[in-house]
Amino acid sequence: MAFALDEQQQMIAETAAAFFAENAGGERTRAAMASGIDRDLWRAYCRELGFGGLTVPEDLGGAGLGHVELAVVAEQAGRTLAAIPLLGHAMATAALLASDDRAAIDAHLPAMMAGDRSVAAGERGGEGLLVPHAAQCDLLLLLGEGGAHLIDASAATVEPLKSLDETRPLARVHASAGDPLPGGAAPCEAARAAGVLCLAAEALGGAQEALDRTVAFAKEREQFGRPVGSFQAYKHRLANRTVEIEQARSAVWWAACALDEGHETRALALHAAKSFCADTYLRVAGDMIQLHGGIGFTWEHDAHLFFKRARAIANMLGDGPHHRERVARIMLDDAA
Amino acid sequence: MAFALDEQQQMIAETAAAFFAENAGGERTRAAMASGIDRDLWRAYCRELGFGGLTVPEDLGGAGLGHVELAVVAEQAGRTLAAIPLLGHAMATAALLASDDRAAIDAHLPAMMAGDRSVAAGERGGEGLLVPHAAQCDLLLLLGEGGAHLIDASAATVEPLKSLDETRPLARVHASAGDPLPGGAAPCEAARAAGVLCLAAEALGGAQEALDRTVAFAKEREQFGRPVGSFQAYKHRLANRTVEIEQARSAVWWAACALDEGHETRALALHAAKSFCADTYLRVAGDMIQLHGGIGFTWEHDAHLFFKRARAIANMLGDGPHHRERVARIMLDDAA
Amino acid sequence: MKLGFSDMEEAFRRECASWLDEQMAGEFADIRGIANLVDKPERRKAWERRLAEHRYSCIGWPIAWGGRDATLNEQVIFAEEYARAGAPNRLNHMGVELLGPTLLALGSSEQKARFLPAIAEGTAIWCQGYSEPGAGSDLAAIRTRARRDGDEWVIEGQKIWTSLAQFADMIFVLARTEDGTRGREGLSFLLVDLDQPGIEIRPIRQINGEAEFNEVFFDGARCPVENMVGAEGEGWTVSTTLLSFERGISTLGQQMQFRNELDAVIAAAKHNGKAADPVFRQRLAEAEIGLRLMRYGALRMLAGGKGGALAGAALTYKIQWASWRRALGELAMDVLGQEGEVAPADAEGWPLLANLYLYSRADTIYGGTNQIQRNLIAERGLGLPREPRGNA
Amino acid sequence: MKLGFSDMEEAFRRECASWLDEQMAGEFADIRGIANLVDKPERRKAWERRLAEHRYSCIGWPIAWGGRDATLNEQVIFAEEYARAGAPNRLNHMGVELLGPTLLALGSSEQKARFLPAIAEGTAIWCQGYSEPGAGSDLAAIRTRARRDGDEWVIEGQKIWTSLAQFADMIFVLARTEDGTRGREGLSFLLVDLDQPGIEIRPIRQINGEAEFNEVFFDGARCPVENMVGAEGEGWTVSTTLLSFERGISTLGQQMQFRNELDAVIAAAKHNGKAADPVFRQRLAEAEIGLRLMRYGALRMLAGGKGGALAGAALTYKIQWASWRRALGELAMDVLGQEGEVAPADAEGWPLLANLYLYSRADTIYGGTNQIQRNLIAERGLGLPREPRGNA
């Protein structure tokens, strides 16, 4: 038991932080909002940074790292609102590896790792299939009861939509079900786990950044002749959010570690991480607006980008009540 | 439409406030905790104050007043944690009047109005029947699907219990069902409405008193060289509770008025009042402890009396989720 | 205490309802249901004039000034029927509800004669120049200055978060008229024509992509000296009087809009099955309860506000509705799920509930943040000691 | 990063578990599961001695002082197994977890030699004299004084909220040793024998009817000058060091108690059907998630705390567990309904969950209220400007 990033993990965290700080951020993301993806950033992520194969085994040309490293990187992407298809990429990588389908792996993984082929992933269910980045990506990974389907985007009808979160636009997808990836439920489960972890980590990063920016504002901005951050109500609000972010970080690390070790708490950890981190991000981003006052709800300020991203994350791959109900099943229903 | 106390109602409020302020309060209630009822207070309430027949028609010797007046009085009783069987009294009065059973009315109401016969009331359901004041009263009013039963306490098995809220102790009652009061569902409904209103008003009064005492403490007590009430977190907490108490007051008045006028929102109002006022009382009483610091959780301080009374009220005649679900039925289910 | 209305009042209700329904079904059907402050301003100005023609523009004002001297209950009824009929948000809310009553209370005979008729007739639309950059919720930090130049005041400075400025004819401005003063001292209250070279208006784009608020720049803008309400240096008192009218009858109309929003959430929940989910049922019930309590709170506020004192209910009302509506926005999005996040690619603006979600984030900020409101409740309502101010 | 333990560590776990289970099933079965600090003190003193006999009383201490020099993971394992076995709350928590490490870090050789063995052997029980009436969360406002009299310090004053004082042998006291000082200046840290005429202990009855806390009155109480830890006037620093040990390994044992409490709530919910109610399922899930995150937060805190810096996790931990437990108390009562409010008429004390409900109201107050904790997080953790102090 050693519940802290080891040296290599710490280095990856710092590398990712530096990369995204330099290459992503509000300005870059706003510029990418018209097209939906920051393609230069994604290419640089995959190739220059070499993280396109982060979780791919070394014998397949990847870095052979695990979910802890994925989480650490996704956190930094979330912090900078990076407009990249990391979510679909991570999910499709996990699905392909879990399928053990050499033909599919050889067909897609190298191009994915090189950043030449991008994947959008979504879950069937509800009235239609809303998939983030579906209108921007080459492949679609569709999860459902029939398994995980990896198809060419051109083989589906994709209707681009005006989306609340313009930094990761949704599209409505209509696709007929072909053959799923082999491996039974495994590809679906692996993809969902990687996706849930990515979203939780992204939420953690976004929440941390929203908090940090609000704290910085609170130190500078004066009202009633004092820095607003010297007002106790302001402080306590930020303190509460800090407590929640600390818990969110514990949740992400727990889930990532549990996945890598096949720990018995794996499922519990994923449900906990998704619901807790998404809720935390919603609260912090909401407070970011509130505590900035009027400027916080203008288009020019980044607060709404965080706020909308937080909402989108909350709704993706199961909302809070869904994941808490799953936790309840594990803890309360003896049959679970 | 005139949503304020009229002159007579205002006078009754002031009379009740003065009466309870003089005759009830923490000391008196503590003294009554051993026996469970402050019998002198109850007698004075019925006779000297003459409120034993507050809601009884004038032709039956009462004051002929309505639910607004009952609420106004119950609020003051709640404010002072008065250890009197007002709840059972109000419920039984309502049940008797709704039954239109002259024999029962003649047999019980005059003695009840005079304070010579007291009533404990409770609702069947759950594992056993827990009835406040059952071990202290002469009559038991038991509500259930079979109707409203008004029986002699000596005809039931009553097991006194150690109760969290010692200012209104519970007892477990076992009674075989005899004949209910006539009038179909009306006595039950009338009793439940009066009971719910009483509890909501009592919660309002208790919350107001808990807030007032905490505000007074906050002005006097110094820490870090300032009155604690000058700290913004303290202020904002009390401000939030003030907002809730204002809403609670609107809820009580709405429910009382709607009952008196047979308004279409009557059921909605009662469910809203019970759940909202009980929740408010729980929060204010909890904050009373928290904001008093260490002294707030000592036995000597009254804070725990409010806190425990609030908990008891929350559990009586349907808890918060129950009443909110009833509201949902009215607003969402077309069949309701 | 009484919930119901008298027969005469109910007759008045039918009269209003029938006229409003006729208008909204007929000539003004195109502006029915507009809840924002930006759509179709010209048509809405026509609507203001139509209201005036039928003496419905300011029914609470004295008959002599174009009103009906309506009782409180009649005003309540009209506000409810107005909203129920789907009549659009009043473009001249500021003139009718805020400036008018202020002039009636504190204006000179000349000011009344000059400004009230145009408000009553719907020919002058007003907006409000209070907030400034760096003085969001801190009105006392105002830096806009007005200096005397012969028969005129000349104004330099900047206001912000001014809704309606892009359509309005006039603005009332709180400006510093005495050099060297700070805080509440030395402020005056001026009535200024927006149509002049010294004024520039720039819209502010908001979180929902629309621009309801504006920045208003004063660079040598002028108004005659007789446009000062109250004495020189008494601006703080005048503005306090004006703000005290903010929690008036119009809150009831606003609540009808909230009702429509809640109904839309309920409809969505019924449509997608969340209305059968016990967890959502609890939250929907809370929303319903909150809205009802807002109504009865407003009625208490109106009934008790006669003495002019800030009753408890009035102090707490802003925070109550703003918090309620923000929570409703969150509930709406939780009910809708991902479907709530999208609109057709070519849609202009957002559907009702997505817009509610976004816009309600401003409710807890403008007109005094929730934080400021809590300070007021604690200090004025509960008498707790004031927060220490800094040295600025 | 790693969740699992090594084979050697798992072997140590089995060793501890088997010994603890044997004790709790055998000779000490009568004190199994006691969660409070007041029941059966004599038996629990015997238990402290038994722990010492088997070198389990302070395993994290150096071998030379009666410990095992146990690794962090071993300490984690022991804490978990201790709680899992239902061993009672440690009566000498203050000695083992707080004073011992403080003496190891800052005590003189003589102080170590004099006081550590009795703690390790379980023969001296310690309690803590920090809070004072009027200085609840404001340690700097301490007014208890100690004046030098030859080779002794003579102490006058009053401490409050002193748990265990009624059973303890010794107390560590923060007292003002320099006249005219205020705030953190002029305080010293003294080790004082409780068994002397100058000390009177009065229990404080709490909300749950029991008396865990005490007032301790010092009226000419004495201790030798060599009982001062650190230099004269350095008491604030010593006490800060001591408090930094508070978020140590023992938090994990405390969490096992929380686990038992949550399990009791789950059992009650299953028994009365609330476990099938979707609304309660959400709240039960939140409680489960909160407890798990507390565990992983504590593990992060322990892993990161080596540098001695107050990591984010350490700053936030107190508020996290106290708020969680208070919410659990409320959930417990909501699950139980009226049945949770009663006990047989002749019952002594309250059942586990009612007691949790009542006692958890103290959790958010003692050891620094949630309010104080939030100030600390904001000021030390986030670097926000300090709250202005008054003039007192």
Side-chain angles (χ1 to χ4, degrees), chain A residues 5-330:
Chain A
L5 296 180
D6 64 28
E7 230 165 274
Q8 193 194 14
Q9 290 162 343
Q10 188 60 44
M11 207 190 65
I12 288 170
E14 284 161 19
T15 305
F19 171 79
F20 285 112
E22 190 177 345
N23 298 293
E27 283 303 304
R28 278 286 286 264
T29 294
R30 279 171 191 267
M33 271 160 43
S35 65
I37 284 187
D38 185 338
R39 293 187 189 275
D40 291 342
L41 179 63
W42 181 238
R43 198 175 304 269
Y45 172 87
C46 292
R47 294 191 179 182
E48 282 146 50
L49 197 60
F51 280 4
L54 191 75
T55 57
V56 175
E58 287 173 278
D59 58 5
L60 291 173
L65 297 170
H67 288 91
V68 172
E69 290 80 7
L70 174 63
V72 156
V73 170
E75 179 185 340
Q76 297 304 325
R79 209 183 220 286
T80 52
L81 298 165
I84 54 174
L86 178 60
L87 176 67
H89 183 80
M91 291 174 71
T93 301
L96 280 169
L97 293 173
S99 76
D100 214 15
D101 179 344
R102 292 307 299 218
I105 289 174
D106 290 344
H108 298 300
L109 209 48
M112 282 168 55
M113 285 163 61
D116 293 333
R117 205 170 296 164
S118 56
V119 195
E123 216 173 8
R124 288 177 192 278
E127 296 174 42
L129 187 54
L130 291 173
V131 180
H133 282 154
Q136 285 80 24
C137 286
D138 309 301
L139 297 172
L140 299 176
L141 176 72
L142 306 178
L143 309 181
E145 294 194 0
H149 298 259
L150 188 64
I151 61 170
D152 245 56
S154 59
T157 313
V158 177
E159 179 200 352
L161 295 165
K162 174 173 169 172
S163 301
L164 203 69
D165 177 12
E166 295 182 62
T167 71
R168 182 157 55 193
L170 295 164
R172 199 177 300 278
V173 171
H174 299 274
S176 49
D179 287 339
L181 289 171
C188 237
E189 274 176 27
R192 198 175 280 119
V196 162
L197 181 68
C198 258
L199 289 173
E202 216 186 77
L204 168 63
Q208 183 72 62
E209 178 71 12
L211 179 79
D212 290 350
R213 291 208 202 177
T214 310
V215 168
F217 174 82
K219 291 177 184 172
E220 272 175 28
R221 161 83 166 179
E222 295 212 346
Q223 205 151 32
F224 301 103
R226 293 165 48 176
V228 292
S230 74
F231 285 97
Q232 205 186 26
Y234 215 106
K235 282 184 191 176
H236 282 199
R237 179 97 66 123
L238 293 173
N240 285 341
R241 297 301 87 83
T242 303
V243 173
E244 288 154 11
I245 287 173
E246 284 303 322
Q247 291 173 282
R249 179 159 287 116
S250 300
V252 169
W253 288 13
W254 168 32
C257 240
L259 276 173
D260 282 340
E261 297 179 35
H263 198 261
E264 52 174 4
T265 59
R266 196 173 38 180
L268 193 65
L270 283 167
H271 294 303
K274 173 62 170 62
S275 57
F276 196 94
C277 294
D279 283 353
T280 298
Y281 195 8
L282 280 172
R283 270 191 294 264
V284 181
D287 279 355
M288 185 183 191
I289 295 178
Q290 180 70 25
L291 296 179
H292 275 77
I295 193 78
F297 63 90
T298 61
W299 188 263
E300 283 69 34
H301 197 277
D302 283 349
H304 72 102
L305 301 180
F306 289 94
F307 183 68
K308 292 165 177 174
R309 179 68 81 91
R311 167 53 57 181
I313 287 176
N315 285 341
M316 269 191 265
L317 298 181
D319 64 7
H322 165 85
H323 285 288
R324 282 190 292 274
E325 170 58 28
R326 290 306 170 115
V327 169
R329 280 191 205 175
I330 294 170

Side-chain angles (χ1 to χ4, degrees), chain D residues 55-226:
Chain D
R55 228 181 172 85
Y56 279 125
S57 64
C58 49
I59 65 167
W61 288 20
I63 292 172
W65 293 113
R68 291 175 178 231
D69 224 349
T71 64
L72 182 66
N73 278 4
E74 286 166 347
Q75 293 179 62
V76 166
I77 286 167
F78 183 75
E80 289 179 353
E81 291 308 317
Y82 185 92
R84 190 203 44 74
N89 268 5
R90 288 291 297 273
L91 211 57
N92 210 11
H93 166 75
M94 301 275 182
V96 171
E97 303 286 347
L98 301 182
L99 184 66
T102 305
L103 288 179
L104 285 166
L106 304 174
S108 66
S109 318
E110 293 73 19
Q111 286 169 342
K112 289 182 198 171
R114 177 140 173 242
F115 296 109
L116 291 180
I119 298 174
E121 290 157 18
T123 52
I125 307 292
W126 284 80
C127 65
Q128 159 172 302
Y130 276 12
S131 288
E132 297 188 2
S137 290
D138 183 8
L139 283 189
I142 277 175
R143 282 185 293 193
T144 293
R145 297 176 171 275
R147 66 177 161 78
R148 182 77 180 254
D149 179 23
D151 289 347
E152 292 186 319
W153 289 100
V154 183
I155 308 164
E156 304 283 344
Q158 182 190 351
K159 296 290 176 180
I160 197 167
W161 315 122
T162 310
S163 48
L164 291 166
Q166 68 273 52
F167 315 122
D169 304 291
M170 300 287 295
I171 183 169
F172 48 87
V173 174
L174 202 55
R176 200 165 291 285
T177 45
E178 195 178 333
D179 276 350
T181 58
R182 47 202 270 181
R184 301 165 183 200
E185 310 293 315
L187 299 173
S188 297
F189 190 98
L190 299 169
L191 310 177
V192 182
D193 200 324
L194 278 170
D195 183 18
Q196 57 169 305
I199 287 181
E200 190 193 345
I201 294 163
R202 288 187 209 150
I204 302 171
R205 197 176 175 207
Q206 298 142 216
I207 180 174
N208 63 349
E210 290 178 0
E212 179 185 316
F213 296 106
N214 302 274
E215 293 176 288
V216 181
F217 295 87
F218 298 84
D219 182 11
R222 289 170 176 265
C223 73
V225 290
E226 59 266 28

